[in-house]
Amino acid sequence: AERCYREAVRIREQIRDLPELAKSFNQLAMVAEGAGRPDDAERWYLRALESFKQLNDPAAQAKVLSNLADLYLSQGRLDEAARYARRAVEIKETLDLSAQPWTTYAILARIAEAQGRADEAAGWRRKEQENYAAYAGAAHKMRQYQPLIQAIVAACQGGEEARGQIEP
């Protein structure tokens, strides 16, 4: 994947396709993060962020800011994570729910938990749940989990067969 994204970057730089180039930077960052190379991921995310700023694409900027916040959180860089997550939320809250603000609320909750602020984390979790519930696509996405949810409920009510299904 990395080889292909690097080739895409080369081509997109050559033809000056900045929107697709910025997306490729973000994709390369995710690949580097998944490969356990956080320094490379950070560099690619920052390049993506700068490109999306040049393009004046706030939704994409917010997504990259959230990605950076999550990366910094995974490294224990809590102050930086909080700063980037708050910037992402500021942008996402000006957009519609398709910007998925609940994903950044979840990051802010994890940051608050890591900082030992349980009440603040609970507030972010509540906001995350409320926003996701208000999203028109939530009901559709939740339907796919209906059999699992029903099995969990049955197991909680003492159903041994259901418990055997969900334990793995």
PDB file of all heavy atoms in Angstrom, residues 74-90:
ATOM      1  N   SER A  74      -1.985   8.190  21.289  1.00  0.00           N
ATOM      2  CA  SER A  74      -1.362   6.861  21.349  1.00  0.00           C
ATOM      3  C   SER A  74       0.085   6.928  21.812  1.00  0.00           C
ATOM      4  O   SER A  74       0.628   5.944  22.313  1.00  0.00           O
ATOM      5  CB  SER A  74      -1.456   6.154  19.998  1.00  0.00           C
ATOM      6  OG  SER A  74      -0.575   6.739  19.060  1.00  0.00           O
ATOM      7  N   GLN A  75       0.704   8.093  21.658  1.00  0.00           N
ATOM      8  CA  GLN A  75       2.091   8.278  22.084  1.00  0.00           C
ATOM      9  C   GLN A  75       2.182   8.889  23.486  1.00  0.00           C
ATOM     10  O   GLN A  75       3.274   9.154  23.971  1.00  0.00           O
ATOM     11  CB  GLN A  75       2.821   9.199  21.102  1.00  0.00           C
ATOM     12  CG  GLN A  75       2.960   8.623  19.720  1.00  0.00           C
ATOM     13  CD  GLN A  75       3.608   9.620  18.778  1.00  0.00           C
ATOM     14  OE1 GLN A  75       3.172  10.765  18.662  1.00  0.00           O
ATOM     15  NE2 GLN A  75       4.671   9.181  18.116  1.00  0.00           N
ATOM     16  N   GLY A  76       1.033   9.162  24.097  1.00  0.00           N
ATOM     17  CA  GLY A  76       1.031   9.790  25.415  1.00  0.00           C
ATOM     18  C   GLY A  76       1.320  11.277  25.378  1.00  0.00           C
ATOM     19  O   GLY A  76       1.604  11.878  26.412  1.00  0.00           O
ATOM     20  N   ARG A  77       1.234  11.879  24.225  1.00  0.00           N
ATOM     21  CA  ARG A  77       1.468  13.325  24.068  1.00  0.00           C
ATOM     22  C   ARG A  77       0.123  14.032  24.249  1.00  0.00           C
ATOM     23  O   ARG A  77      -0.476  14.538  23.302  1.00  0.00           O
ATOM     24  CB  ARG A  77       2.087  13.599  22.700  1.00  0.00           C
ATOM     25  CG  ARG A  77       3.467  12.972  22.542  1.00  0.00           C
ATOM     26  CD  ARG A  77       3.941  12.876  21.109  1.00  0.00           C
ATOM     27  NE  ARG A  77       4.089  14.155  20.448  1.00  0.00           N
ATOM     28  CZ  ARG A  77       4.508  14.291  19.180  1.00  0.00           C
ATOM     29  NH1 ARG A  77       4.833  13.226  18.468  1.00  0.00           N
ATOM     30  NH2 ARG A  77       4.605  15.489  18.634  1.00  0.00           N
ATOM     31  N   LEU A  78      -0.357  14.025  25.481  1.00  0.00           N
ATOM     32  CA  LEU A  78      -1.733  14.408  25.773  1.00  0.00           C
ATOM     33  C   LEU A  78      -2.042  15.874  25.501  1.00  0.00           C
ATOM     34  O   LEU A  78      -3.135  16.188  25.013  1.00  0.00           O
ATOM     35  CB  LEU A  78      -2.085  14.050  27.218  1.00  0.00           C
ATOM     36  CG  LEU A  78      -1.931  12.561  27.582  1.00  0.00           C
ATOM     37  CD1 LEU A  78      -2.326  12.328  29.022  1.00  0.00           C
ATOM     38  CD2 LEU A  78      -2.729  11.682  26.641  1.00  0.00           C
ATOM     39  N   ASP A  79      -1.120  16.772  25.811  1.00  0.00           N
ATOM     40  CA  ASP A  79      -1.388  18.191  25.560  1.00  0.00           C
ATOM     41  C   ASP A  79      -1.546  18.468  24.070  1.00  0.00           C
ATOM     42  O   ASP A  79      -2.460  19.186  23.654  1.00  0.00           O
ATOM     43  CB  ASP A  79      -0.280  19.076  26.152  1.00  0.00           C
ATOM     44  CG  ASP A  79      -0.289  19.074  27.670  1.00  0.00           C
ATOM     45  OD1 ASP A  79      -1.336  18.743  28.259  1.00  0.00           O
ATOM     46  OD2 ASP A  79       0.754  19.410  28.264  1.00  0.00           O
ATOM     47  N   GLU A  80      -0.658  17.897  23.270  1.00  0.00           N
ATOM     48  CA  GLU A  80      -0.768  18.067  21.821  1.00  0.00           C
ATOM     49  C   GLU A  80      -2.034  17.407  21.295  1.00  0.00           C
ATOM     50  O   GLU A  80      -2.728  17.970  20.441  1.00  0.00           O
ATOM     51  CB  GLU A  80       0.452  17.472  21.118  1.00  0.00           C
ATOM     52  CG  GLU A  80       1.724  18.265  21.319  1.00  0.00           C
ATOM     53  CD  GLU A  80       2.929  17.509  20.810  1.00  0.00           C
ATOM     54  OE1 GLU A  80       3.347  16.542  21.481  1.00  0.00           O
ATOM     55  OE2 GLU A  80       3.427  17.884  19.735  1.00  0.00           O
ATOM     56  N   ALA A  81      -2.331  16.217  21.801  1.00  0.00           N
ATOM     57  CA  ALA A  81      -3.540  15.510  21.372  1.00  0.00           C
ATOM     58  C   ALA A  81      -4.773  16.358  21.655  1.00  0.00           C
ATOM     59  O   ALA A  81      -5.646  16.511  20.793  1.00  0.00           O
ATOM     60  CB  ALA A  81      -3.634  14.164  22.087  1.00  0.00           C
ATOM     61  N   ALA A  82      -4.839  16.931  22.849  1.00  0.00           N
ATOM     62  CA  ALA A  82      -5.995  17.756  23.220  1.00  0.00           C
ATOM     63  C   ALA A  82      -6.088  18.991  22.329  1.00  0.00           C
ATOM     64  O   ALA A  82      -7.181  19.364  21.881  1.00  0.00           O
ATOM     65  CB  ALA A  82      -5.902  18.159  24.690  1.00  0.00           C
ATOM     66  N   ARG A  83      -4.955  19.614  22.058  1.00  0.00           N
ATOM     67  CA  ARG A  83      -4.955  20.822  21.225  1.00  0.00           C
ATOM     68  C   ARG A  83      -5.491  20.522  19.821  1.00  0.00           C
ATOM     69  O   ARG A  83      -6.357  21.240  19.304  1.00  0.00           O
ATOM     70  CB  ARG A  83      -3.545  21.416  21.162  1.00  0.00           C
ATOM     71  CG  ARG A  83      -3.525  22.803  20.531  1.00  0.00           C
ATOM     72  CD  ARG A  83      -2.169  23.492  20.609  1.00  0.00           C
ATOM     73  NE  ARG A  83      -1.242  22.933  19.626  1.00  0.00           N
ATOM     74  CZ  ARG A  83      -0.145  22.235  19.923  1.00  0.00           C
ATOM     75  NH1 ARG A  83       0.190  22.020  21.163  1.00  0.00           N
ATOM     76  NH2 ARG A  83       0.630  21.775  18.966  1.00  0.00           N
ATOM     77  N   TYR A  84      -5.020  19.444  19.215  1.00  0.00           N
ATOM     78  CA  TYR A  84      -5.467  19.103  17.866  1.00  0.00           C
ATOM     79  C   TYR A  84      -6.920  18.634  17.863  1.00  0.00           C
ATOM     80  O   TYR A  84      -7.681  18.974  16.951  1.00  0.00           O
ATOM     81  CB  TYR A  84      -4.552  18.046  17.241  1.00  0.00           C
ATOM     82  CG  TYR A  84      -3.285  18.643  16.679  1.00  0.00           C
ATOM     83  CD1 TYR A  84      -2.146  18.783  17.468  1.00  0.00           C
ATOM     84  CD2 TYR A  84      -3.230  19.094  15.367  1.00  0.00           C
ATOM     85  CE1 TYR A  84      -0.982  19.340  16.956  1.00  0.00           C
ATOM     86  CE2 TYR A  84      -2.069  19.654  14.843  1.00  0.00           C
ATOM     87  CZ  TYR A  84      -0.955  19.778  15.651  1.00  0.00           C
ATOM     88  OH  TYR A  84       0.190  20.341  15.137  1.00  0.00           O
ATOM     89  N   ALA A  85      -7.317  17.880  18.863  1.00  0.00           N
ATOM     90  CA  ALA A  85      -8.703  17.404  18.936  1.00  0.00           C
ATOM     91  C   ALA A  85      -9.666  18.575  19.108  1.00  0.00           C
ATOM     92  O   ALA A  85     -10.732  18.617  18.476  1.00  0.00           O
ATOM     93  CB  ALA A  85      -8.868  16.403  20.073  1.00  0.00           C
ATOM     94  N   ARG A  86      -9.301  19.532  19.934  1.00  0.00           N
ATOM     95  CA  ARG A  86     -10.176  20.704  20.128  1.00  0.00           C
ATOM     96  C   ARG A  86     -10.287  21.532  18.843  1.00  0.00           C
ATOM     97  O   ARG A  86     -11.361  22.035  18.516  1.00  0.00           O
ATOM     98  CB  ARG A  86      -9.686  21.547  21.293  1.00  0.00           C
ATOM     99  CG  ARG A  86      -9.931  20.868  22.633  1.00  0.00           C
ATOM    100  CD  ARG A  86      -9.527  21.731  23.814  1.00  0.00           C
ATOM    101  NE  ARG A  86      -9.486  20.980  25.039  1.00  0.00           N
ATOM    102  CZ  ARG A  86     -10.543  20.558  25.732  1.00  0.00           C
ATOM    103  NH1 ARG A  86     -11.747  20.811  25.285  1.00  0.00           N
ATOM    104  NH2 ARG A  86     -10.396  19.881  26.849  1.00  0.00           N
ATOM    105  N   ARG A  87      -9.186  21.649  18.110  1.00  0.00           N
ATOM    106  CA  ARG A  87      -9.252  22.360  16.824  1.00  0.00           C
ATOM    107  C   ARG A  87     -10.170  21.614  15.853  1.00  0.00           C
ATOM    108  O   ARG A  87     -10.953  22.235  15.125  1.00  0.00           O
ATOM    109  CB  ARG A  87      -7.855  22.511  16.220  1.00  0.00           C
ATOM    110  CG  ARG A  87      -7.048  23.620  16.891  1.00  0.00           C
ATOM    111  CD  ARG A  87      -5.644  23.775  16.365  1.00  0.00           C
ATOM    112  NE  ARG A  87      -5.531  23.894  14.921  1.00  0.00           N
ATOM    113  CZ  ARG A  87      -4.415  23.641  14.226  1.00  0.00           C
ATOM    114  NH1 ARG A  87      -3.314  23.264  14.867  1.00  0.00           N
ATOM    115  NH2 ARG A  87      -4.386  23.767  12.927  1.00  0.00           N
ATOM    116  N   ALA A  88     -10.076  20.291  15.858  1.00  0.00           N
ATOM    117  CA  ALA A  88     -10.937  19.489  14.978  1.00  0.00           C
ATOM    118  C   ALA A  88     -12.411  19.675  15.348  1.00  0.00           C
ATOM    119  O   ALA A  88     -13.260  19.855  14.470  1.00  0.00           O
ATOM    120  CB  ALA A  88     -10.561  18.013  15.071  1.00  0.00           C
ATOM    121  N   VAL A  89     -12.707  19.665  16.643  1.00  0.00           N
ATOM    122  CA  VAL A  89     -14.087  19.830  17.103  1.00  0.00           C
ATOM    123  C   VAL A  89     -14.608  21.215  16.723  1.00  0.00           C
ATOM    124  O   VAL A  89     -15.764  21.353  16.289  1.00  0.00           O
ATOM    125  CB  VAL A  89     -14.201  19.584  18.623  1.00  0.00           C
ATOM    126  CG1 VAL A  89     -15.485  20.145  19.195  1.00  0.00           C
ATOM    127  CG2 VAL A  89     -14.121  18.092  18.910  1.00  0.00           C
ATOM    128  N   GLU A  90     -13.783  22.228  16.885  1.00  0.00           N
ATOM    129  CA  GLU A  90     -14.205  23.586  16.509  1.00  0.00           C
ATOM    130  C   GLU A  90     -14.664  23.629  15.057  1.00  0.00           C
ATOM    131  O   GLU A  90     -15.666  24.273  14.733  1.00  0.00           O
ATOM    132  CB  GLU A  90     -13.060  24.583  16.715  1.00  0.00           C
ATOM    133  CG  GLU A  90     -12.775  24.910  18.158  1.00  0.00           C
ATOM    134  CD  GLU A  90     -11.514  25.762  18.319  1.00  0.00           C
ATOM    135  OE1 GLU A  90     -10.982  26.268  17.300  1.00  0.00           O
ATOM    136  OE2 GLU A  90     -11.068  25.917  19.464  1.00  0.00           O
TER     137      GLU A  90
END
